[in-house]
Amino acid sequence: MTDVQFTPRVFSGIKPSGGLTLGNYLGAIKRWVAMQDEATENIYCAVDMHAVTVWQDPAALRQGTREIAAGLLAAGIDPGRSILFNQSRVHQHAELAWVFNCVARVGWMTRMTQFKDKAGANSEKASLGLYAYPSLMAADILLYHGTHVPVGEDQKQHVELTRDIAAKFNHDYGVDFFPLTQPVIEGPGTRVMNLRDGSKKMSKSGDSDMERINMLDDADTIAKKFKKAKTDPAPLPETVDGLTDRAEAKNLVDIYAGLTDQTAEAVIADYAGAGWGTFKPALADLAVSKLAPVSDEMKRLLNDPAEIDRTLEQGADKARDIAAPILDRTYEIVGFLSS
Ligand code: TYM
């Protein structure tokens, strides 16, 4: 039985826990902006309910949510063409997540590498929300019948789990109601690594600020962070194959490629044999030239929080128009009596 035609619809989200990083920008936001020119409906969300799976100071959460919104607007998300809102304003996310908590299996959650990374050795003390997080993420996407989810590499497993939840729901209830969502993980910036340790991803919650570039860093800070970025002593190789087993070198080449919309091959063709004394300042200049306009605009937008809040509220109204009938139909399929 087919309930719906699945028209292409993009959904993606960012957690407002700490500021935006270059990883968020290259792995997700840049792609989101570009997808506005493709023939899809686009829905982008500051996922504040995900943020509270670990402790958040309430004032910092409010500020972080506005900062995500400002970052997305500054990078080119156009609220006239995309829906932009914060998750908690649309209560249907939590309601669908509950249904999915009853569809997903405990074993599926236990296999999620991000839970293992975040909860660490102390998983008994982690919040129940952190454990159930991927089920809420599946609800975020499927509440809109999202067909495409542009994310960085680290979210691939969660999008695959979203497919498993959709398939099990459809199978258990004998419907074809939820689409099998595709992750969209493309380009050289899908896994930006920590500047001090190329085996770890760049993250907003890492221990040292020197390991990441924040979207609000000023030019001097960006230059200093790239200058101090860990590398090996060898110059850049003649071909990309020469970057194998050189995680830090590969990361800086990938960042350069992501910022210029080039392949790593093209960057190596330009810089083959160059030393770090040449490449690092070029990378820092490039990063400043690409990020400064975005961060300047972000700061301008953040001066008017009421305007950001209005934009998010209007986005939530549009999101609810799509979400409500999908949740209503889900409740009907499940057998909940409703008016
Ligand atoms: P979050 O907030 O950790 O990251 C937001 C987006 O940025 C990407 N990203 C990176 N990409 C490349 N290199 C990096 N170092 C890097 N760090 C972050 C992430 O892959 C992501 O695309 N669970 C999600 C938020 C979420 C979501 C959703 C995403 C909640 N519901 C529904 C898509 C669809 C998260 O924690 O992302």
Side-chain angles (χ1 to χ4, degrees):
M1 160 176 144
T2 300
D3 291 68
V4 224
Q5 287 293 323
F6 299 122
T7 48
R9 190 177 278 151
V10 171
F11 183 96
S12 204
I14 303 197
K15 278 194 309 289
S17 48
L20 289 170
T21 68
L22 184 62
N24 297 135
Y25 181 68
L26 293 180
I29 301 174
K30 246 180 118 246
R31 192 82 194 83
W32 300 2
V33 172
M35 284 178 110
Q36 296 182 122
D37 296 326
E38 296 165 19
T40 46
E41 266 186 277
N42 302 291
I43 307 176
Y44 300 122
C45 186
V47 287
D48 44 10
M49 293 166 70
H50 281 268
V52 297
T53 56
V54 296
W55 166 253
Q56 301 294 326
D57 170 75
L61 179 60
R62 276 187 283 275
Q63 175 63 18
T65 304
R66 292 185 181 119
E67 202 175 303
I68 298 271
L72 294 179
L73 293 166
I77 296 296
D78 170 3
R81 289 196 289 161
S82 296
I83 296 178
L84 175 63
F85 71 109
N86 61 303
Q87 183 186 28
S88 59
R89 273 208 168 94
V90 179
H91 61 80
Q92 284 86 352
H93 286 250
E95 292 179 63
L96 187 61
W98 180 256
V99 174
F100 287 170
N101 282 347
C102 302
V103 172
R105 306 289 92 184
V106 168
W108 299 2
M109 298 296 156
T110 308
R111 280 195 289 278
M112 293 296 113
T113 55
Q114 191 160 305
F115 176 74
K116 290 184 204 162
D117 290 348
K118 289 204 167 176
N122 222 354
S123 63
E124 293 282 312
K125 295 258 168 66
S127 75
L128 191 53
L130 189 67
Y131 192 62
Y133 179 120
S135 170
L136 177 59
M137 179 160 158
D140 299 337
I141 298 165
L142 294 174
L143 187 56
Y144 303 93
H145 282 171
T147 56
H148 296 83
V149 179
V151 281
E153 239 338 288
D154 62 319
Q155 295 300 318
K156 186 167 183 236
Q157 195 186 30
H158 290 160
V159 182
E160 285 166 359
L161 184 97
T162 301
R163 293 167 65 91
D164 292 342
I165 290 177
K168 182 160 163 47
F169 181 97
N170 288 346
H171 174 266
D172 288 355
Y173 291 101
V175 292
D176 188 11
F177 185 60
F178 288 115
L180 300 185
T181 307
Q182 297 287 340
V184 181
I185 302 172
E186 290 168 352
T190 56
R191 191 161 176 78
V192 177
M193 307 309 282
N194 178 319
L195 296 179
R196 309 301 293 230
D197 177 351
S199 70
K200 293 189 189 150
K201 84 168 180 179
M202 182 183 288
S203 120
K204 44 196 157 203
S205 52
D207 298 335
S208 155
D209 199 52
M210 290 302 286
E211 66 188 46
R212 63 182 161 262
I213 304 287
N214 304 301
M215 292 300 289
L216 288 174
D217 282 344
D218 60 30
D220 288 349
T221 308
I222 292 177
K224 187 170 85 190
K225 286 179 176 177
F226 278 124
K227 190 166 166 228
K228 299 219 167 209
K230 185 178 165 205
T231 45
D232 53 42
L236 284 169
E238 299 295 322
T239 65
V240 277
D241 291 343
L243 291 170
T244 312
D245 297 327
R246 295 180 65 189
E248 284 85 10
K250 178 175 184 314
N251 187 39
L252 295 187
V253 170
D254 281 345
I255 291 175
Y256 195 104
L259 286 168
T260 47
D261 285 321
Q262 281 177 293
T263 59
E265 282 83 357
V267 177
I268 288 294
D270 285 346
Y271 284 97
W276 296 111
T278 306
F279 189 73
K280 281 181 169 180
L283 177 57
D285 287 350
L286 172 68
V288 169
S289 74
K290 296 284 177 180
L291 300 184
V294 181
S295 71
D296 289 350
E297 177 63 2
M298 254 177 104
K299 286 175 200 147
R300 193 189 67 77
L301 291 167
L302 283 165
N303 281 330
D304 189 355
E307 179 57 26
I308 295 178
D309 292 2
R310 260 193 302 280
T311 303
L312 291 174
E313 197 175 334
Q314 284 163 4
D317 290 343
K318 292 188 209 158
R320 233 177 275 112
D321 287 345
I322 302 174
I326 292 179
L327 183 73
D328 288 352
R329 179 73 185 116
T330 307
Y331 275 18
E332 203 173 70
I333 291 170
V334 168
F336 293 159
L337 290 178
S338 52
S339 46

